[in-house]
Amino acid sequence: MLERKWGVEFLKLMVAVNLTTMIIVFIIMIGCYATTMSDTFLFSPICGFSAANAAFGVALKQLAPNQKCVASIEQVKFKDIPIIVIGCSLGCYMIGLTEFKDLLLVMFGTYFGWLYLRYFMSYPGSSIKGDNSEEFAFKTLFPGYTRPFGALLGNISFALCEMCGFCKVVDTPDVEMGVTNVKPSVSIPDVPQATSEAERQMAERRRQLAFKAINERLEQLKKQQASKKAAASTKEGTQKIAVADPKTKAAKD
């Protein structure tokens, strides 16, 4: 799905995330060996595609967050994949099935996957890099009660990227003023504005949420009408019984 949609950009994502994660984990392992002098950190091989797989889960979360992972399980969706992968990796490390470097590969693969998609990804059909939508903020990778911590990490990441010149805050009024003051020397025909991949995904998510809200509202109205009809029929039946009782009593007399 992602290969067909993003093409060579998907390959760039996998290579960038895997290479960056390997370098960071290698530095951490050397630091752990220098601190503990344990040969486990020195001779543990750093290989595999754990980081790329974690980044793949983040990409699925961005592309179709409300898509169900398993058709029969309503609660598990693509937006839950990153935290599920990290949780499973942490559990396997705690019970001794995996090593410390495997946990690091998954965690940094998730982080660098989000970082690349957020600030560096060149989406097909768009001249703007990255996805600055609120639905793809770093805090959305975390469950509800830990989202303040995720928001803090996201703000730190943005500050570092801004410091390095990878991104910047754009003052909207200044931009609008600059566009207004431009006086073209030739007549330019109206051209439909190109919609970026991130904008299309955001519009699709909003459309799905709107459809869901409308369906829920219709269901509520149907239930209210059914309850009103049931109450009315019950009341009518009670009145008929009340009218019929005097006749029955008179007949007995």
Side-chain angles (χ1 to χ4, degrees):
M1 180 171 61
L2 293 176
E3 299 91 333
R4 293 194 303 269
K5 197 172 188 64
W6 289 346
V8 69
E9 292 298 327
F10 176 75
L11 179 61
K12 291 181 181 178
L13 168 66
M14 295 292 104
V15 172
V17 170
N18 220 39
L19 183 61
T20 307
T21 303
M22 292 290 183
I23 294 173
I24 296 297
V25 173
F26 174 76
I27 294 173
I28 292 176
M29 296 293 282
I30 293 297
C32 292
Y33 169 73
T35 304
T36 63
M37 299 305 294
S38 174
D39 294 340
T40 304
F41 297 108
L42 184 62
F43 296 106
S44 180
I46 301 174
C47 58
F49 287 91
S50 300
N53 291 333
F56 184 79
V58 177
L60 288 177
K61 176 233 183 302
Q62 181 205 30
L63 186 63
N66 295 318
Q67 179 75 25
K68 291 186 291 185
C69 298
V70 183
S72 59
I73 303 177
E74 184 70 26
Q75 293 79 9
V76 182
K77 300 180 179 179
F78 281 172
K79 63 182 179 181
D80 304 316
I81 290 179
I83 193 62
I84 291 175
V85 171
I86 293 176
C88 292
S89 180
L90 180 61
C92 292
Y93 169 69
M94 293 181 66
I95 62 178
L97 293 179
T98 57
E99 299 180 7
F100 179 62
K101 53 99 177 177
D102 298 313
L103 177 61
L104 292 178
L105 287 172
V106 171
M107 294 178 65
F108 281 107
T110 301
Y111 173 73
F112 286 119
W114 171 85
L115 191 70
Y116 186 88
L117 293 170
R118 182 73 166 178
Y119 297 114
F120 303 100
M121 180 75 171
S122 297
Y123 295 95
S126 174
S127 59
I128 301 176
K129 289 187 176 182
D131 179 5
N132 63 346
S133 63
E134 186 64 23
E135 291 81 1
F136 193 57
F138 190 65
K139 63 181 180 181
T140 60
L141 301 179
F142 293 79
Y145 55 88
T146 59
R147 285 196 172 183
F149 175 71
L152 176 62
L153 293 179
N155 293 335
I156 294 174
S157 301
F158 175 77
L160 292 175
C161 290
E162 185 181 12
M163 186 185 305
C164 296
F166 297 135
C167 60
K168 61 180 180 178
V169 178
V170 179
D171 192 358
T172 304
D174 292 343
V175 174
E176 293 177 353
M177 186 179 299
V179 174
T180 306
N181 292 334
V182 174
K183 295 181 180 180
S185 57
V186 296
S187 177
I188 302 176
D190 293 335
V191 179
Q193 185 178 3
T195 304
S196 65
E197 184 69 21
E199 291 173 348
R200 286 197 295 269
Q201 294 172 6
M202 187 186 306
E204 182 63 26
R205 288 196 290 266
R206 290 175 178 173
R207 193 179 298 112
Q208 291 177 0
L209 292 175
F211 285 149
K212 183 179 179 181
I214 292 173
N215 291 331
E216 290 178 353
R217 182 58 180 168
L218 290 175
E219 291 294 331
Q220 291 178 358
L221 291 176
K222 289 180 181 179
K223 290 180 180 179
Q224 291 177 359
Q225 292 177 358
S227 61
K228 288 181 180 179
K229 289 181 181 180
S233 61
T234 303
K235 184 177 181 181
E236 184 179 356
T238 305
Q239 291 177 352
K240 288 181 179 179
I241 293 173
V243 172
D245 284 344
K247 295 180 180 179
T248 304
K249 185 176 179 181
K252 289 182 179 180
D253 293 341

